[in-house]
Amino acid sequence: MRVSLFVTCLIDQLRPEVGEATVAVLERAGCEVHFDPRQTCCGQPACNSGYREDARAVARQALEALEGDDPVVVPSGSCAAQLVHLADLFEEGSAEHARAKALAPRVHELSSFLVDELGVDSLASGYRGRVTWHDACHGLRDLGTRDQPRRLLRAVEGVDLVEMASCETCCGFGGTFSVKMPELSVAMADRKLDELEQAGLDAVVSADLSCLMQLGGRLQERGSSVRTLHLAEVLAG
């Protein structure tokens, strides 16, 4: 199956190794991965900040880059959710609204694509360590992605998956929320990390780089040995 990869701007600019791991995972699952270099951002930062016209400009670029019939795989729940809802930025009846509506059913978060669309049970991956899964807000609450990443992680040889009581609790990033209300954002992250650090974990795994940046930054500040890993990095092992 040929798929179109929307790599997200955070992965592209800050953790390109996650993008490489995503390609490796998709290819291992039997996909031919296409990447259009015209893609930039999904428009979520501008949209969430109320800059609708700026968001529309970025959305138009995304629509151009993702034109076609291929499934669009996104290694981020928040960016996938934004692409699914792109039509909300455009006037109903417009050509752009129609293109965005046509794009929406083609968009898939990485773990849900592997499990729900390809029927993948295992990727013959290996990672030794005690890990927990963090449910990023958009992936869980908007896309309904919960069991798929856990199913994939449990199939990784050497992984000891530990469920935390706070797994569905927001990490406090929330895009511009962490900039506008940094004290509250940090307090939300630390409340999660207090529990995680007591569990003797080797790593926190998630599928949204913004959450991993938030948690990773706080872990580093606290001098913790717990790592943050994207799901693709574990599955590519």
Side-chain angles (χ1 to χ4, degrees), residues 16-217:
E17 64 271 19
V18 173
E20 294 171 353
T22 301
V23 172
V25 167
L26 289 170
E27 289 181 341
R28 191 181 298 176
C31 296
E32 175 191 344
V33 182
H34 172 70
F35 173 79
D36 192 318
R38 293 177 298 170
Q39 63 179 259
T40 54
C41 176
C42 65
Q44 183 180 177
C47 186
N48 289 351
S49 298
Y51 297 104
R52 305 278 289 183
E53 191 52 49
D54 291 327
R56 278 189 282 271
V58 178
R60 292 186 186 100
Q61 183 76 6
L63 290 174
E64 288 291 330
L66 300 174
E67 195 73 62
D69 300 318
D70 298 335
V72 177
V73 181
V74 190
S76 165
S78 59
C79 298
Q82 177 70 14
L83 291 175
V84 167
H85 298 299
L86 274 191
D88 295 343
L89 288 170
F90 301 106
E91 183 179 354
E92 191 167 352
S94 68
E96 291 164 325
H97 183 272
R99 291 174 69 192
K101 291 289 283 186
L103 169 65
R106 295 170 45 220
V107 175
H108 306 273
E109 183 273 331
L110 175 61
S111 68
S112 63
F113 180 72
L114 291 170
V115 173
D116 299 335
E117 301 300 318
L118 297 185
V120 170
D121 291 314
S122 172
L123 288 162
S125 309
Y127 173 86
R128 298 207 171 274
R130 183 176 170 87
V131 308
T132 194
W133 176 258
H134 165 67
D135 291 288
C137 291
H138 284 88
L140 176 66
R141 295 172 175 83
D142 196 331
L143 302 179
T145 304
R146 188 185 190 283
D147 296 332
Q148 299 93 326
R150 288 172 168 83
R151 180 173 171 180
L152 292 168
L153 281 174
R154 290 191 182 101
V156 175
E157 183 179 356
V159 162
D160 178 13
L161 180 61
V162 181
E163 289 287 354
M164 297 284 101
S166 63
C167 62
E168 297 184 2
T169 304
C170 179
C171 70
F173 182 76
T176 55
F177 173 80
S178 62
V179 177
K180 295 177 180 177
M181 298 185 176
E183 295 85 2
L184 183 55
S185 173
V186 167
M188 293 172 69
D190 283 351
R191 185 175 180 180
K192 273 188 75 83
L193 295 180
D194 287 343
E195 181 196 12
L196 298 182
E197 289 189 300
Q198 293 173 9
L201 299 172
D202 296 300
V204 180
V205 186
S206 189
D208 205 309
L209 193 59
S210 57
C211 299
L212 294 174
M213 289 171 53
Q214 167 82 340
L215 296 173

